Amino acid sequence: MKVTTDVIPIKQQFVGEPRELDYKAISIFMATGFFLDTDTYYKGLKTLKPATNYVLDENSTKIVSEKTYFDWHYSPIERPFSQIVTEFANLFETIIKEQTHNKDVILPLSGGLDSRTQAVALYQLGIPVKSYSYAFTGGHDETWYSKQIAKTCGFEFKELKVPNGYLWDVIENLADINQCYSEFTHPRQMAFKDAYANMGDVFSLGHWGDVLFDDMRVSNDLDFDQQVAVILKKIIKKGGLELANKVWGVWELEGDFLNYLQDRIRDLLKSINIPENANAQIRAFKSKYWAPRWTSVNLSVFENVRPITLPYYDKRMCEFICTVPEKYLAGRQIQIAYIKMRMASIAKITWQDNRPFNLYNYHYNKVPWNLPYRIFNKLKRLSSSNDFIQRNWELQFLGENNDSKLQSYIIDNPQLDKFVPLEVRHFIYSKFKNEDAVYYSHAVSMLLTLSVFHARKELYI
């Protein structure tokens, strides 16, 4: 059987047989929130690599042959910035037109640049759109920006709120959708499946635009060892290393966890081989190993409702990025210039990450020009009688009812003892409750993921 994987795969494809648990792979999952390279929960089961032509046996249990058809590279073609923006405009609009032709589009909107760029393209193409956005109950109203974008484009718009404690009603359904390859508080869209199920024919999703169209905040001549250190810092979550070290020890794995992870990163980064530009090499690493195993896993919730399209995932967009001089990718310049060129009225709407500034004056988001807004915003938050919600786990883990549910999965669960000892679970939970909830929230969420996986793993074999 022949199988060709995308340059950035939308979904995981597996080969092999799930037999013995891969504790080293699971340890990395605990630290980072995603499985690395082709790892899965099992030693005998692997995912297919991106950008590869495969021949599998008839049972899809063995790889007969494999050949890569695309390698990330840095081959900049010098040309005027205005030409690059025009090239992007033509390519981006062509991809979106192909992906959404004769379809009603569901567009999740935010106050950032990726979905805003899509909104402009969809408007220019005259494609019918129903849009929506959501914000945390008790948090910053992220829907305000989206509402302005939708209104300016003439799109229908639905405003949604992430409810407190929704996770516990959908956690098993979510586990069946992502098969526990991602923790459960990131895909907030799970709270709204019924709300957008009848909005249109296909999703147009803006994922990965922020990686392709920006630099990695490092010097282009950063040496290899420093690049490895940067990647480790990017992928290891707060509290994740502590949990990984704990399980590595109780599972009696050989060596040191961090050294093992570092060696894995070194080997994978070395295989990309873009020595002439550190930003391009780190971007390629993220696109090859992070996007398919973290971002794409969470896309499965959208796909469970309606088909999904991702213009930034398109092979032609990846090839285009490899030809753009790094100086033009830094700072989201291309997307900003495209929006200004095509629809100035959208560019004038506040950019959420640089509020209260927009795409014309965001350069002033620094002292002293942003001081009045920062002071006003802080006073507003301090004067509120309610806690300010900034993260989904706060709505799902905090409070008496949520805490009771959480404990039922990760503490009061003797069936989990042989997998992750109670002393490890209790240590992480106690740190979360009594010392630093923000720092240990990832570790708690990963324990929850392991608990659900352990209870349902037979269903995924």
Side-chain angles (χ1 to χ4, degrees):
M1 181 175 67
K2 295 181 179 180
V3 177
T4 297
T5 57
D6 293 331
V7 173
I8 304 180
I10 290 177
K11 61 175 65 178
Q12 301 179 114
Q13 297 183 72
F14 298 94
V15 60
E17 298 179 277
R19 293 176 180 169
E20 183 182 353
L21 287 171
D22 189 340
Y23 290 104
K24 289 185 177 181
I26 297 170
S27 297
I28 293 178
F29 184 42
M30 294 298 96
T32 66
F34 65 94
F35 280 90
L36 191 61
D37 193 18
T38 61
D39 290 352
T40 72
Y41 280 102
Y42 299 95
K43 291 182 178 179
L45 188 70
K46 299 296 179 183
T47 61
L48 300 183
K49 299 175 184 178
T52 305
N53 292 313
Y54 283 97
V55 176
L56 308 179
D57 69 351
E58 60 182 11
N59 297 317
S60 297
T61 57
K62 293 183 180 179
I63 297 172
V64 178
S65 67
E66 62 180 276
K67 185 176 182 180
T68 301
Y69 67 81
F70 174 87
D71 289 310
W72 287 91
H73 56 96
Y74 181 59
S75 308
I77 300 172
E78 288 293 339
R79 65 269 205 204
F81 178 66
S82 59
Q83 180 181 336
I84 291 174
V85 175
T86 300
E87 290 175 15
F88 168 74
N90 293 335
L91 175 60
F92 191 64
E93 290 168 7
T94 295
I95 292 171
I96 287 184
K97 185 176 182 179
E98 291 175 359
Q99 291 180 342
T100 62
H101 183 62
N102 286 335
K103 295 182 175 68
D104 290 341
V105 169
I106 309 170
L107 178 65
L109 276 172
S110 73
L113 290 182
D114 296 329
S115 63
R116 185 182 306 219
T117 310
Q118 286 172 275
V120 170
L122 289 163
Y123 176 83
Q124 293 294 317
L125 294 166
I127 295 170
V129 172
K130 291 183 179 179
S131 61
Y132 72 90
S133 184
Y134 40 75
F136 293 126
T137 300
H140 179 68
D141 186 9
E142 299 178 27
T143 64
W144 184 90
Y145 315 94
S146 308
K147 193 183 302 181
Q148 306 310 309
I149 294 169
K151 182 179 179 181
T152 303
C153 292
F155 298 160
E156 290 188 33
F157 181 78
K158 181 174 288 189
E159 180 179 342
L160 302 165
K161 291 283 188 182
V162 179
N164 187 303
Y166 78 82
L167 178 62
W168 310 111
D169 292 329
V170 302
I171 191 168
E172 292 186 354
N173 182 216
L174 178 53
D176 291 343
I177 292 172
N178 68 23
Q179 297 191 12
C180 298
Y181 278 96
S182 174
E183 61 103 333
F184 302 126
T185 64
H186 283 297
R188 297 174 292 175
Q189 61 269 22
M190 193 67 191
F192 312 113
K193 284 182 63 181
D194 294 337
Y196 52 60
N198 298 315
M199 289 178 67
D201 303 317
V202 62
F203 283 100
S204 183
L205 304 175
H207 296 70
W208 218 242
D210 59 331
V211 176
L212 295 183
F213 288 91
D214 202 355
D215 63 354
M216 300 294 108
R217 308 291 194 274
V218 300
S219 172
N220 286 327
D221 60 359
L222 192 72
D223 70 37
F224 183 83
D225 288 337
Q226 290 174 312
Q227 290 178 42
V228 172
V230 167
I231 290 171
L232 284 170
K233 186 175 181 180
K234 284 180 179 290
I235 67 174
I236 295 176
K237 302 295 190 295
K238 293 178 180 178
L241 180 59
E242 196 163 349
L243 174 59
N245 281 328
K246 289 284 185 184
V247 297
W248 188 272
V250 298
W251 290 336
E252 299 181 342
L253 300 175
E254 183 181 357
D256 175 80
F257 167 73
L258 186 56
N259 287 338
Y260 172 73
L261 175 57
Q262 187 175 40
D263 288 344
R264 291 285 306 273
I265 299 299
R266 290 181 64 86
D267 290 342
L268 294 175
L269 187 62
K270 194 178 297 182
S271 71
I272 294 173
N273 193 28
I274 308 178
E276 64 272 25
N277 193 286
N279 279 288
Q281 179 147 282
I282 295 173
R283 183 186 299 111
F285 179 93
K286 293 183 71 173
S287 299
K288 190 172 182 179
Y289 299 113
W290 193 333
R293 303 308 308 276
W294 190 83
T295 304
S296 293
V297 172
N298 290 321
L299 297 178
S300 59
V301 177
F302 292 106
E303 195 169 34
N304 189 253
V305 178
R306 285 288 181 269
I308 60 176
T309 62
L310 293 103
Y312 297 109
Y313 268 41
D314 192 277
K315 178 176 181 285
R316 291 165 290 181
M317 192 62 72
C318 300
E319 291 171 335
F320 170 72
I321 288 295
C322 294
T323 72
V324 177
E326 192 64 41
K327 62 185 177 183
Y328 295 135
L329 290 172
R332 315 295 295 274
Q333 297 173 72
I334 295 173
Q335 290 171 303
I336 291 170
Y338 167 77
I339 295 168
K340 289 179 178 178
M341 178 180 73
R342 284 289 196 254
M343 208 168 176
S345 55
I346 294 293
K348 293 176 182 177
I349 296 171
T350 302
W351 182 0
Q352 183 177 337
D353 290 345
N354 288 281
R355 57 187 185 271
F357 303 101
N358 59 40
L359 272 57
Y360 286 99
N361 60 13
Y362 67 93
H363 308 90
Y364 291 104
N365 188 17
K366 55 188 176 182
V367 176
W369 295 280
N370 62 0
L371 271 178
Y373 176 79
R374 290 172 61 183
I375 294 170
F376 170 79
N377 195 46
K378 186 170 184 177
L379 289 173
K380 182 180 177 181
R381 290 171 58 180
L382 289 174
S383 63
S384 174
S385 59
N386 298 318
D387 292 333
F388 187 77
I389 301 299
Q390 301 180 68
R391 313 163 189 89
N392 193 23
W393 64 261
E394 294 174 277
L395 289 174
Q396 313 313 319
F397 293 168
L398 302 183
E400 186 176 343
N401 290 336
N402 287 332
D403 186 60
S404 176
K405 292 286 188 181
L406 181 63
Q407 287 196 60
S408 71
Y409 278 96
I410 70 171
I411 301 297
D412 307 325
N413 184 2
Q415 293 183 349
L416 193 57
D417 290 350
K418 291 184 179 179
F419 192 21
V420 182
L422 177 60
E423 63 188 62
V424 172
R425 286 139 49 201
H426 196 271
F427 173 84
I428 296 295
Y429 174 77
S430 295
K431 291 281 189 179
F432 171 75
K433 289 292 292 183
N434 302 318
E435 294 189 18
D436 192 335
V438 174
Y439 188 86
Y440 287 97
S441 60
H442 167 80
V444 166
S445 197
M446 295 312 299
L447 287 178
L448 175 62
T449 306
L450 281 189
S451 176
V452 177
F453 168 76
H454 182 72
R456 302 179 70 79
K457 63 181 183 293
E458 302 301 326
L459 300 176
Y460 309 142
I461 295 177

